[in-house]
Every structure is written in structure tokens, then in C-alpha cells.
Amino acid sequence: MTRPPGPAYIAGIYEHPVRRADGISTAQLHADVARGALADAGLTLADVDGFFCGADAPGLGALTMAEYIGLSKLRHVDTTESGGSAYLLHVAHAAQAIAAGHCNVALVTMADRPLAAAAGTALAGVDRNTMPNLPFTAAVPPMPMYGYGMVARRHMHEFGTTAEQLAWVRVAASHHAQHNPHAVHREVVTVQEVLDSPMVADPLHRLDCCVMTDGGGALIVTRPEVARALKRPLVRVAGSGEAIKHPNAGRIELLSSAGVQSGAHAFAEAGITPADIGYVSLYDSFTITVIVQLEDLGFCAKGEGGRFVADGNLISGTGRLPFNTDGGGLCNNHPGNKGGMTKILEAVRQCRGEAHPAVQVARRDHVLAHGTGGNLAGAHAAGTLILQAE
Amino acid sequence: MKPTRGLPPAPIVFPGDEPFWEATRRGELLAKRCTACGELHYYPRMHCPFCGSDQTEWHKLAGTGRVYSFSIVARSPRPMAPAIVETPEGLRINTVIVDADVQALRIDDPVTLRFVNTQDGPPAPAFTTLAAEQARAYTQAARAALGPAGADDATRFQRAAVIGGGNMGMGIALALLAAGLPVQLVDNSAEAAASARQRIADGLQQDLARGRISAEQVAERLARLNTGTDMAAVADADVIIEAVWEDLDLKREIFARLDQHARPGAILATNTSTLDVGLIAAATARPEAVVGLHFFNPAHIMKLLEVVRAPATSAATLDGARAIARLIGKVPVVVGICDGFVGNRLMITRERQAARLLLEGALPEQIDRVLRGVGLPMGTFELQDMAGGIELSFRARQRDGRKDWLIEQLHARGRTGLRAGRGYYRYEPGKRRPLVDPEVTALIEEASRVEGLTRRAISDAEIHDRLILPMINEGAKLVMEHMVDRASDIDLVWQLGYGWPDWKGGPMYYADQLGLAHVVERLDALHAQHGEVFRPAQLLRDLAPTSTRISSLKPTR
């Protein structure tokens, strides 16, 4: 049974400006983004009594970071790790903890530096030596992108989705990224340029794939009384959902994700439908991820995602459903191989009316952020948040 | 010591998984079945992940399946397509398709089990396509058709001699030494003979460093090597292989002297790649004992040996040549005398088209990509950069007096290939990856202007047809001219000497896959626009309306 959650608000946000973190430790990045979000909210370290982080938090995670950052009043801790989607789960969990009276001011941080540390596409905290499924794919090169290639290939086979339609996702993100001074790629690209980029994990080209960056972000979730006393426009957590999907011991089904479950729960809690959403932040590890999520969240029917994104339908100002107006993981930032935090941050900016004027949507009373962490073709976790402007 | 570079790491064997890995050693793929609820699951757990019961037992899968989805690893030395395969038992499992035409994969293609070796561990399960299995079966049959694998006649070859201490001579000597033969290497220059000895020693050291042979073997092989300048030293050799400059007069002179020194019954072989073996044989009083042994570079590594039958070469000499080949681990393919024999004849036809396509509007990277898409390990321009092709082309054209503006320009600018850091492509210091160079693009565009050609966009399909179909056409002509014992010999030459993948048969097998009627139709269309080399060989026309496969043909003598 779903009932509306007790009110909780996102009151502070911060995205670290670096995209390559030479000369800054991971711990320092976490502290920097924490202070940045607190400053945005107008709160201090002493106000924080709930702390959320994932496996990118170094050492013994929350314990090490609480000490390093300087959080001495913690009475609620959550280190849910679900890949890139973790931060969507953290916000939902924070809202639930706040509604239950277990904390007042929750800080969520995310930061890592795989480029500077030459760590490649690995996720922090994953011990390959204990993964029980890995020996059975010993002959397969261990890179997540092939799983996404397989999803794209099956989607094309079943629904006629084309490489051009996939490319439109990148094109739209690039139209937005041109306005973001911190984005890794600010050049607007065409469909042909995406198709001309080298094939990386057939049928995905290089430009179908997100950037790899260092950096991170943070946000503050708090009670209504605290939020109303602060200086930022009010952004309420109106609904949330989370779900895990996996290969189910040999019954792999590639065409839909756990977003079907997480999205349904979030919409039911918020009491709205996809038609009410004016902006979406959709996890964009790859262009195909966006298409599958659009279908799973109900913005279009299953199989229609390719046609939905074609011809610039995701571009703010001209398209029906503006998406990832910061440029997304595809063009702006995908720190530590986890894109969930940055998805929430841009959704909050849009909801507040604080996005870049060239991409700010007019219809911002309900926005949605969604993440798919792990491997879309394997075990993954979906997290959906619906935010409401008050 | 087994080389383990490039193999995936040994899989971790968790407690309870041991029977799975024992089964892979037997060539079997196991899932688990729950006796409580009846469900199958993969990968195996100790418990049933559906009902939670402990009562699971091992269940052998059929080892077949269909492709549910796949991706492709770009630029992998061994073709690899990470895939999900749906088995007839209803399981969809994560795996990889290997040793197949991954560029031609389609969802629902039938696949079958094939295992991948791991580093010091049990084989890991993978799959391959039925089409690839059929091509490999064809290859095996073609190899078997060459004759017995054992070196049965080889005991008569106890001592060998090599004339010429250059690159090929050195490689041939290494191959003979590796087979256990004492080798006499003769060069008319004492310096060259000593240098050859040093380079052979260096080659053996390299093999030692790579773990291929032991220090004892290095010493033992060197001990069997004699180098010198005296031709009389070949007197007790059972086989003498000449590998000097491609100069007919020089070779004839050498063979005349060999004729004087070699013992009766010795086989006199020439490594020539372009000269008429019959003319070399005519310089001796025993042309029946003369044969061509065309090695491929590097001679101690490449398995192909084109055995060139001259008009007077006796059947006994041919048998002996085959036996020598098998003794030193080569695969002998008997060919008749014609320009380029088998391998180079097809290669040169293709290269002429590639050069032509550059002038008409294609660029090296496109042409190379199309060739790699056919399954060849490297495209022609990256291969030329690696093997010093520009230098060879330049020298060949100097000899023939043929002009080639582009080759001259590349050569004049020191763009001779990988070693120079630039050729058709440019290369970063210490790296082998070919990078597009705008300077070359500009030169090619200028070359078009010099030839008076207007450049146009050329499709991958046209590039494929203009490179591959003339090869097929030449292959058909070789069969018509009785230059090979079997059409499938052409495919073996291309697999063993030029990297045509065994999972794709060879040019003749490929012609059958394309369909001979389609090949003739395409050749006719290209003939109208691009000249005589595309006129379909009569054999192709004759076979096109039938169901006879060209790769099954044996030209009767």
C-alpha cells in the first residue's frame, strides 16, 4: 500500500567543478562537496545528524567520512550501495528517516577519482575475487559496456529501434551541454557525427557512451520546518521507488529494467502520472539506457522509446520532454562511473528554477530523476525520485 | 613452458563448483537442477535460487543454442562477441562467441559449445557458430586431402644446406635446426656468413627469452650449425635450399655449381617467389631433382610452404619436398609455375585494386576496415606499414620502370612504415596502432589529381567486391590452369600464408558462400566499369547455374 511520504525537502545541492582530480584526495572531494551543499542550504557541519554515502567513500565509508568531514552528531547512517543509482535511494531513505523522526538534516555525498587514479571503469568497493558469477564469464572481457550493447542489439531486433534514434539522445544532451561551462564536451553534435564515431561495443559508438570523470556532488535533505527557514526555493520529495532486477539464474530478459517497479511506486506515492512531469533527469550511462528507462517509467509504450527520442524530442525549448539539461553523463559529468547524484542535482536546479536560462523549463512543478546502477544486462538497481516545487 | 599471453585468467573455483570445471575439461557444460521443484538454473549454486532447497544436482546441457543478443569486442586479435545464448533447455546464459565471423552474427543464429583456454586453469565455456564449425570442418578435410601428416619419408633427410645468409636464409636455417637437422649455411661473403650465424644465435636467444625453448636447446641447435663460404660443403646434404637475391642469372649460376657439388639423390630447392623455377632447373644436369620451396616471411614461423612443380620436377622430388616440409613443421601445397604462384597471385590482384581504389576516392582506413570486416587480421595498408611494403613497392617499380606517384611521394618523405613512425598511417612512438594522418590524405587527393581522376565516395560494399571478387576470379583461373591439385589448396594457402581465418574457409569457400551466380553477376557489372581483371573466369560462368561448389573441385591432370 502506498501513501504519501511525510514531507522532506532537498534544501542544498552542490556539484564539484573538477572533471579530473589530480592533486585532490577522494576524502577531500567528499569534504568539499559536503561543505558546498551545506553552504548552498545555509547550514553548517554541526547541523547534520544523518549521513548517507556509498562505496566511493574511502576507508570504512561512513565512519571514515564522518570523522574526516567533521560530522559529530550523527544518529542516522545509511551506506546503501547500488552502483550509480545509490544516491536516489539515499534521498528516498533520508526522506523516510526524516518522516520517522530519526534525523532532521541528512547529508548525502558522492565523490571519486578513477581518472586520476587510473582505475578505469571499475566501481569503488567491488571485490572481483568474491563475486560468484564472475568465474562463469571468465572468457568474456570484463567490461560493462558489452551488456549495454546487448540490450541495444535486442531492442533493435524486437522493436526496430535504429542507431540514428540512439544517436538523438546524445545530440539532445549536447544541445544542453553547450551552456554548461563545466561540461567535458560542450560541442553540439549531429546524428551523423555520433554514427561516425568509432564502434565501441557494437552497436554502441563512442558517442553513445557517457564520459568518464572524477569529481562528485552532495545534497541536503531536511524537515519542512528547517527547509522553510532557509534561503533556497522549496523542493519536496513527492515520491520515490527502488527495485532490483537480475538475470534470475538463467532467465535473462533484456528489454525492460527495474525502473518498471521503481517508477510505478514513485508515481503512485506522488499521486501523479508521467504526463505531469515537466523535466526528467534520466541515467545516461549509454544512450540505450535512456530509451529503456523512458519506456519503463511510462513516458511512452514499451518499444516506442526510439521513436520518442527522435528528432530532438528531448531538447529543452523545442522537444516534448526536456532531459539532462546539464548535459548529463553523456556530455557533462559521470563522476566515479556513477551518475545518480548528478541526475538529482540538475532535477533540483530545474525544480527551483535555477537551471541555465537557455535550458530552464517553464513547467517545473513536478520533475523526475531516475538512476540505473549496476549492469542493465545483468544485476542492476533502479531508483526513482519525483520532486515537487512548492 | 606454455605461452599464456592473451589468455583470460584462470577462473576462481568456489567450493562446490569443482564438478563444473571438471566437466569443462571433458568438453561439457553443466547447469544445476533442483529435485524439489524441478527448475534448472545457471550459473550453478549449491541451493536452488527459486525454491531455496538444498537438493540440487548437476545437469548436462546439450551444448547448443541460439543467439539471444550479442555485442562485439572491437579490434580483438581473436574474434569475440560477448553474447547471451538461449539453450534448448530454456536457459539464457551470459557467455561469449569466439572463433567465428562475429561481424556477420545475427540474433537467432545457431551456436554450439567451444572452450577457451585460460591461464593455467580449466577451459572456460564459450560458444561458436555452426557456420564457423562447418568452415573448420572444410579446412580439416582440405588439410587431410594434402596427404599423410606424418613425415614418413623424412628419415632420408639427415643433413641440410642453405645457400644465402639473408633474412629468408636465416629463417629457413632456424626451421631446419628446430627439426633436429645439422645445417650447412653457405654465403659467398665471409662477413655475411658470420652475420647470419650471429642473427641465428640472436633468433634462438629470443625464443629462449619468450620461453619457447630451453638454454640446452639453444646450445644444441647452434652446435649443429656450420657457416662458411665454400660451396663444396654441401656435398653431404640431402636437401639444399637456395635463398639468395631474386636474380635469375645469380640463381642459375648457383644451381650450376650446386649441380657439381651436391650428391646424387639430393633435392635442390629454390626459395624464389617470382622467377621461373624451370629456367633455374635448366642450369643443372638434373632438373628432375629441382623444385621450388617458397617459404613465407618469417620462414621459421609461417607454416605455409608453396612447393613449386617445374615441368621436369619428378614425382619423387615432389614427394621428397612434401616430406621435408612436414619434417620442419610446414604445410606443403603443390603449385604450378605462374606469376605469384597461388598466394601472391591473388594478393597482387587485390593490391592493384586497393591502390586503384585509393586514387578513385577511398582512404586507407576505410579499405583496411573492410578487409578486417571480411575476417583478415589486418588490412592491406596497415600490413604494408608493418612489413615495409612501401619500400618494396618503390624498389619493384624502380626495377620495372613503372611509375607510381603516390609510392614515390611516400618514399621521398621517408614515410616507409611502422619503423619510421609513419607510412600510410602515423604511429605514436613505441605504439603499433595506426592513426589516420591528414598528410597522407592530402597526398592521396593530390595523387588523384595527378592521375586526372575525380574522387567520389565509395561504399564499403563496392570496396569489398573490388578487392575480394578478383581474388576469387584468379582462384578460378588457377584451377582452370591446373596450377593447384585442388581448389581447396588455394584456401589453405590463404589461411596459412595470409591470415584468412579458418572459420571462414578461404577465397574459394567464400565464393561458394556468396553464391557463384551472385559472384558472376557482380563481376560482370564491375567488368563493364573497371576493366579486364573483372571479366568472370569461364569456370565461374560454367559453375554458376549448377549446384557444384568450386571449393570441392579437383582439376584433373
Side-chain angles (χ1 to χ4, degrees), chain A residues 216-249:
Chain A
L219 51 86
I220 306 288
V221 189
T222 189
R223 283 171 38 220
E225 299 78 10
V226 176
R228 291 192 181 112
L230 297 174
K231 44 186 180 167
R232 314 302 319 177
L234 293 173
V235 174
R236 191 172 78 87
V237 181
S240 71
E242 66 192 59
I244 285 179
K245 184 180 174 189
H246 55 65
N248 203 16

Side-chain angles (χ1 to χ4, degrees), chain A residues 128-141 145-158 198-204 206 246-255 377-378, chain B residues 8-14 17 20-21 39-45 49-50 67-74 80 82-84 90-96 98 103 107-108 116 118 124-126 433:
Chain A
R128 302 180 68 83
N129 290 328
T130 54
M131 283 180 77
N133 54 328
L134 229 49
F136 301 94
T137 50
V140 189
M145 61 185 182
Y146 298 115
Y148 289 83
M150 283 197 259
V151 173
R153 171 67 56 199
R154 188 76 199 182
H155 206 275
M156 290 168 157
H157 174 83
E158 293 248 359
M199 198 67 92
V200 154
D202 199 296
L204 298 173
R206 177 168 303 145
H246 55 65
N248 203 16
R251 283 144 184 72
I252 300 170
E253 185 272 305
L254 285 188
L255 297 168
Chain B
I12 295 173
V13 179
F14 290 110
D17 288 348
F20 180 92
W21 300 105
E39 292 286 343
L40 276 182
H41 75 261
Y42 184 89
Y43 55 93
R45 284 69 154 173
F50 296 108
V67 176
Y68 172 75
S69 193
F70 67 95
S71 184
I72 300 174
V73 178
M80 298 198 94
I84 292 169
L91 294 171
R92 287 188 187 151
I93 65 182
N94 269 301
T95 183
V96 61
V98 296
Q103 299 295 339
I107 287 177
D108 292 331
V116 170
T118 63
R433 190 179 173 119

